[in-house]
Amino acid sequence: MTSHPVILAFRSSVRCWRHRALLRVALEASDVRCRRRYSTHIRGGVSGMEEILSRVVAPLPSYETRDKSPPPPETNSLEFMYFYKSLDKEDKLSFLTKLSQDFGVDHKSVSELALKLLDTQIRDLATILLAEDRLRYTLTPRYKQLFSHICRVEGGVKFLVDLRADVLEIISSKASDSPHIRDLNGTLKSLLSEWFSVGLLRLERITWQSPCEILQKISQYEAVHPVRNWTDLKRRVGPYRRCYAFTHAAMPGEPLVVLHVALTEDISDNIQGIVREFATLDSDEDVNKITSAIFYSISSTQAGLQGVELGNVLIKRVVRELQSEFPHMAQFSSLSPIPGFSTWLQGLLSQCRKEGRAFDLLSEEEWKEIQHATDSTPGTPTVDSLRKLLSSNEWMRSERLCRVLEPVLMRLCAWYLYGEKRRGYALNPVANFHLQNGATMWRLNWRADTSPRGVANSCGIMVNYRYFLNETSKNSALYLQNKVITASDQVLGFVSQFQKISDQSCLILCK
């Protein structure tokens, strides 16, 4: 016979299911009404867009009345949101282009005020400051005022985050090279940076008792090491593990950035022991065995918040939380993937083959070993054999090939992380992130991620970025201001080997 609590739970779940079903039907009906309402405007093309924008984007009040003008009706914000959501991808591009071009800054007024500012330089300070303030106000795009009102509407902040995601996609895909679109992106980023400042973010620890909707989103958003099933997720929020997320009051139930932490005795050198270990699922934590915190995954969930500093703040907040929970904890480190290394390496091998500079990368002895291990013919074809070998995961199953390739790939990976730059900073985005935070490029780990994805992305290599808490501020300043990377002796040793082989190759060519 079924117990009474079970029956009550079943009835409750049925009521919840019925409620959600009715809510879904209501939302779908609302969406249909919205589409019907705006279908005529969409068919009207540019004229329909102009009509909507002219109605909802209010003119910028004069400088004298800027604090006295009544706010536009909330319906303006809602109308803008509904209309934009009803557009397809191509129409969104046209709509955003028109918004940014025709409802941005009044350039004529800016020019006039800039000339007046020049004329006031011989006047008193109060007059100069007033002219500067007038100019600053006139530089405000008209659409910024609309965005400021949209953020006050329910769902408005999330709408603007998604809107910026669309703008970023337009820029990255080069669908438009309009400077107005880039200015629109800058305005949105500035507003979102204010709204998502540290003081407005809430740190939440995610546990198995967290709401099901949150757990499901944590699983869906995991971008570094995909969650395989509910058992896997339970382990990642269970004993010897911590999961933290930043949330915002304007986006309830929506984790913005998620950090997964493993609590260990020492700094981990492979991911297999963290995400595939089942022994810790139902065990109790032994505090004496917890001396290290390993940040093994950090994922930003909102594309529209790209460039808004959330991840680095989250790590610092989590460090404080862990220090409070485990006062004896002494070691903090990441265990990070190296996305882009395999792609970079394939390009480098291809370039060296074309230019006949194979010995820039490997010594003569190493090429001979690879030649024997791959049964390739001497000379240039060995480069092709190596490229083909690295393009699959098969070599990872051969102990002989792993032994031959380890010193080569570790050296090349160290150079990729330490030596390859973009505008003077680390080319690799993960390295750049941790180095900006003040971490030390501490240790490269061989066969640290043997999953197909790990081998394909970085030949199975992972890296620890170590956070020495008393040095992070200094390291961050050195990196951001002087572009200096703080690295361990292990990493610097690999870099030195790479440079030595390259120098030897140059000497041979010179002779």
Side-chain angles (χ1 to χ4, degrees):
M1 184 175 177
T2 307
S3 65
H4 186 62
V6 172
I7 294 173
L8 288 176
F10 177 74
R11 288 176 176 173
S12 175
S13 65
V14 169
R15 285 196 298 270
C16 181
W17 177 82
R18 287 173 176 169
H19 173 74
R20 288 179 179 174
L22 290 171
L23 181 62
R24 186 165 58 249
V25 170
L27 289 172
E28 287 173 355
S30 174
D31 188 49
V32 168
R33 287 195 298 271
C34 286
R35 283 200 295 268
R36 287 174 178 170
R37 178 181 177 185
Y38 293 116
S39 61
T40 55
H41 293 302
I42 297 170
R43 283 197 296 269
V46 175
S47 60
M49 293 180 185
E50 286 178 348
E51 181 186 340
I52 288 286
L53 290 173
S54 298
R55 187 162 61 248
V56 302
V57 186
L60 198 67
S62 67
Y63 181 80
E64 289 73 20
T65 63
R66 65 193 184 284
D67 298 324
K68 302 172 185 176
S69 300
E74 189 177 285
T75 52
N76 282 12
S77 298
L78 293 172
E79 188 172 5
F80 181 90
M81 292 165 64
Y82 287 140
F83 181 79
Y84 183 79
K85 288 178 181 178
S86 70
L87 300 174
D88 59 26
K89 189 174 181 178
E90 186 177 339
D91 285 332
K92 283 181 178 179
L93 172 58
S94 301
F95 186 71
L96 292 173
T97 300
K98 187 148 203 66
L99 173 69
S100 62
Q101 286 181 354
D102 298 348
F103 298 86
V105 173
D106 183 348
H107 297 290
K108 182 180 178 182
S109 296
V110 168
S111 299
E112 292 172 354
L113 284 171
L115 290 173
K116 287 183 180 179
L117 177 60
L118 291 174
D119 292 338
T120 62
Q121 295 305 304
I122 58 174
R123 305 281 295 279
D124 60 281
L125 180 60
T127 303
I128 295 173
L129 291 176
L130 180 62
E132 288 176 348
D133 196 46
R134 281 178 175 272
L135 178 59
R136 190 181 301 114
Y137 176 73
T138 310
L139 283 166
T140 304
R142 281 177 62 183
Y143 53 70
K144 183 177 181 179
Q145 189 176 227
L146 171 66
F147 294 158
S148 297
H149 291 298
I150 287 176
C151 81
R152 300 169 192 169
V153 176
E154 184 177 354
V157 172
K158 173 62 175 169
F159 170 81
L160 291 174
V161 170
D162 294 338
L163 178 69
R164 182 167 182 252
D166 291 342
V167 173
L168 287 171
E169 185 182 354
I170 289 170
I171 294 171
S172 63
S173 66
K174 298 183 179 178
S176 171
D177 58 357
S178 167
H180 297 288
I181 289 288
R182 294 188 179 277
D183 195 49
L184 174 67
N185 175 53
T187 300
L188 281 168
K189 180 183 176 183
S190 177
L191 287 171
L192 292 172
S193 295
E194 291 179 18
W195 299 336
F196 288 88
S197 60
V198 179
L200 301 176
L201 298 174
R202 180 185 173 194
L203 179 66
E204 290 189 28
R205 180 184 167 189
I206 310 300
T207 68
W208 191 241
Q209 283 68 47
S210 296
C212 182
E213 292 81 1
I214 291 289
L215 289 169
Q216 189 169 4
K217 286 180 179 179
I218 293 294
S219 175
Q220 291 172 348
Y221 288 144
E222 174 51 38
V224 184
H225 306 290
V227 177
R228 295 184 295 277
N229 48 47
W230 283 104
T231 302
D232 187 12
L233 179 61
K234 186 176 182 180
R235 185 173 63 259
R236 297 193 193 194
V237 297
Y240 295 101
R241 301 290 181 268
R242 294 292 184 272
C243 178
Y244 296 93
F246 266 149
T247 59
H248 192 281
M251 293 172 60
E254 191 72 48
L256 305 176
V257 58
V258 182
L259 177 66
H260 288 273
V261 186
L263 307 178
T264 63
E265 286 189 81
D266 208 348
I267 296 178
S268 303
D269 62 3
N270 72 87
I271 196 64
Q272 290 83 233
I274 293 178
V275 299
R276 299 180 191 174
E277 187 178 316
F278 289 88
T280 62
L281 190 58
D282 297 310
S283 61
D284 294 325
E285 290 179 352
D286 182 351
V287 176
N288 296 320
K289 292 183 178 180
I290 298 174
T291 60
S292 304
I294 310 301
F295 312 126
Y296 67 91
S297 173
I298 184 164
S299 300
S300 179
T301 68
Q302 308 294 319
L305 293 178
Q306 179 183 318
V308 178
E309 299 295 340
L310 296 176
N312 59 348
V313 178
L314 178 59
I315 287 180
K316 292 172 184 175
R317 287 279 296 275
V318 167
V319 166
R320 291 201 295 270
E321 286 286 316
L322 293 173
Q323 284 180 315
S324 176
E325 186 178 0
F326 305 101
H328 62 287
M329 183 174 283
Q331 299 186 122
F332 299 90
S333 174
S334 78
L335 179 61
S336 300
I338 311 172
F341 170 59
S342 292
T343 302
W344 171 84
L345 180 56
Q346 288 286 352
L348 185 63
L349 288 170
S350 177
Q351 181 181 354
C352 287
R353 183 194 185 283
K354 290 177 181 177
E355 299 174 1
R357 297 188 298 107
F359 291 108
D360 279 10
L361 305 181
L362 280 70
S363 67
E364 185 176 358
E365 186 62 33
E366 286 171 335
W367 278 120
K368 286 180 180 178
E369 287 187 8
I370 290 175
Q371 179 183 326
H372 292 314
T374 58
D375 298 322
S376 59
T377 56
T380 303
T382 309
V383 181
D384 294 335
S385 299
L386 180 59
R387 289 186 64 206
K388 184 177 180 181
L389 185 69
L390 295 176
S391 65
S392 72
N393 298 341
E394 297 300 318
W395 64 271
M396 187 62 77
R397 301 175 185 175
S398 167
E399 288 298 327
R400 182 188 178 194
L401 284 172
C402 286
R403 177 184 57 80
V404 171
L405 291 174
E406 179 179 356
V408 173
L409 294 178
M410 292 285 275
R411 182 175 71 238
L412 291 169
C413 187
W415 177 256
Y416 167 69
L417 291 174
Y418 185 89
E420 290 296 317
K421 305 291 178 62
R422 182 185 181 190
R423 298 174 184 170
Y425 298 104
L427 174 66
N428 182 265
V430 179
N432 187 51
F433 169 77
H434 287 290
L435 293 171
Q436 284 186 24
N437 292 347
T440 296
M441 192 179 289
W442 189 65
R443 185 176 68 191
L444 289 176
N445 302 293
W446 179 246
R447 299 178 80 171
D449 185 358
T450 55
S451 68
R453 182 178 181 178
V455 177
N457 286 342
S458 60
C459 300
I461 304 172
M462 298 187 77
V463 57
N464 298 114
Y465 296 100
R466 183 89 177 264
Y467 284 81
F468 297 100
L469 302 185
N470 59 341
E471 298 178 7
T472 53
S473 296
K474 179 189 71 174
N475 293 345
S476 177
L478 277 172
Y479 182 69
L480 292 172
Q481 296 171 15
N482 303 325
K483 302 176 181 176
V484 174
I485 294 176
T486 305
S488 68
D489 290 341
Q490 185 229 37
V491 174
L492 294 176
F494 284 132
V495 170
S496 178
Q497 291 173 24
F498 176 89
Q499 292 173 325
K500 183 178 179 181
I501 289 175
S502 296
D503 292 342
Q504 288 175 347
S505 175
C506 288
L507 288 172
I508 293 171
L509 289 174
C510 290
K511 290 179 180 179

